[in-house]
Amino acid sequence: MSVWDDVVGQPAAVTELARAAADPAAMTHAWLFTGPPGSGRSVAARAFAAALQCPLHGCGECTACRTTMHGTHADVREVVPEGLSIGVDEMRTLVQLAARQPATGRYQILVIADADRLTERAANALLKAVEEPSEQTVFLLCAPSDHPDDVPITIRSRCRVVPLHSPPPDAIAAVLAGRDGIEPATARWAASVCGGHVGRARHLATDADARAHRERILAMPLGLRGLGDAFAAAEELDRTAKAEAADLSGTRDAAEREELAVAMGAGGVGKGVAAAARAARAAEKGLERRQKSRATRTQRDVLDLALIDLAGFFRDVLLAGCAAHVALTSPDRAADVHRAARQWTPESALQRLEAVLACREALDRNVKPLIALEAMLTVLQQG
Ligand SMILES: [Zn+2]
């Protein structure tokens, strides 16, 4: 067992990281993990953090390894943006903490899971720290790419880039069957349809609702008989995304509200109660704002998964139409893919694919989801 077991299908990156963890001369204080969603950027960053703290450089079993992997190591902090972006105040606090001496570990490590979601001011606060790091501080940034749209050049130029790739299906199937104990045939199927996303493969292999939802989405392109179907499908996508987001955040929201109420001494009497009540109301407003932003992001992420499935389907149709010998995104829908390729002209398949991509962009620009989905599904229906 080692900390690298969860880093699926990335032999080159693992070799480089393991070497740097074991040899201080090969070490750098700022790293940028890049790769498509699902390639395991934050998993690789966390494994590296564990290897840096571990006296045996990543045994996977000692306290340093286990606490880092569980997110409880005192000298490893991880920022996972819960809203749509990471703000400057949060970043300043984290940068200050990262400049301290390590309490127990060898380094103070700050992992930034979605560095592409830093606000400009937060990025500037981070840049100052990356430019003048304290001796034992290590920054591990994760982003989809090292393009200036994702990471400012000023930060990028001070980081060593570790490029990750979508892991191949057989590597994913091996992990699901071996480590998660999933039945091999299910593991192979999930690995073949997950688009190189290990977490998604695991979710599909273990959750019947997720499988059913995927089925309904992939049945949409050929199931839209008229505009009525298109609007109904848009409504269903919007509703299920909202429900799933509410499901994911509901319990957390309630727990957070309760914690805040306790911290603010809800229900107290005596002097200063009015001032305390005002402060409590302000804190409550702040919490509500953060929770709302998180819910919007979760809903958007859920919708994005559906859109990626749809885009994959239309890509498959285009490839089938020109008889390209390329692996399908959804090999289990091959019959539908070939039927659609016979039914639609390549131009019409391309228009549908573009409508899906335009919908993703619209959601990114904060267009109301139902409106963006209706626009997309109208094109999917008419071609
Ligand atoms: Zn260890």
Side-chain angles (χ1 to χ4, degrees), residues 64 146 158 249 286 291 304 382:
D146 63 352
R158 285 169 176 83
S249 48
Q291 290 182 337
D304 205 43
Q382 296 170 334

Side-chain angles (χ1 to χ4, degrees), residues 2-3 50-51 53-66:
S2 94
V3 291
Q53 302 292 23
C54 169
L56 299 168
H57 315 302
C59 70
E61 282 160 25
C62 70
T63 312
C65 282
R66 278 187 290 118

Side-chain angles (χ1 to χ4, degrees), residues 124-144:
N124 284 336
L126 176 64
L127 176 63
K128 283 208 192 78
V130 173
E131 277 176 335
E132 296 157 20
S134 349
E135 191 141 334
Q136 282 160 302
T137 307
V138 179
F139 297 93
L140 306 180
L141 281 63
C142 309

Side-chain angles (χ1 to χ4, degrees), residues 46 49-50 53 62-78 103-105 108-109 111:
R46 205 175 303 130
Q53 302 292 23
C62 70
T63 312
C65 282
R66 278 187 290 118
T67 50
T68 305
M69 301 303 269
H70 286 141
T72 55
H73 194 293
D75 298 320
V76 181
R77 273 179 200 80
E78 194 168 336
T104 57
Q108 269 289 356
I109 302 177
V111 182

Side-chain angles (χ1 to χ4, degrees), residues 7 14 101 237 244 317 334:
V7 186
V14 167
Q101 282 295 312
L237 276 176
E244 202 168 319
V317 173

Side-chain angles (χ1 to χ4, degrees), residues 107-194:
Y107 296 97
Q108 269 289 356
I109 302 177
L110 180 58
V111 182
I112 300 171
D114 288 296
D116 53 311
R117 283 173 163 156
L118 291 172
T119 61
E120 200 185 326
R121 290 173 65 210
N124 284 336
L126 176 64
L127 176 63
K128 283 208 192 78
V130 173
E131 277 176 335
E132 296 157 20
S134 349
E135 191 141 334
Q136 282 160 302
T137 307
V138 179
F139 297 93
L140 306 180
L141 281 63
C142 309
S145 77
D146 63 352
H147 189 274
D149 281 353
D150 285 334
V151 182
I153 296 172
T154 43
I155 291 183
R156 155 75 185 82
S157 65
R158 285 169 176 83
C159 292
R160 190 149 130 202
V161 178
V162 183
L164 303 174
H165 311 280
S166 283
D170 50 351
I172 298 176
V175 170
L176 295 189
R179 291 208 53 195
D180 301 332
I182 290 162
E183 202 257 320
T186 309
R188 274 198 303 279
W189 168 80
S192 78
V193 302
C194 69

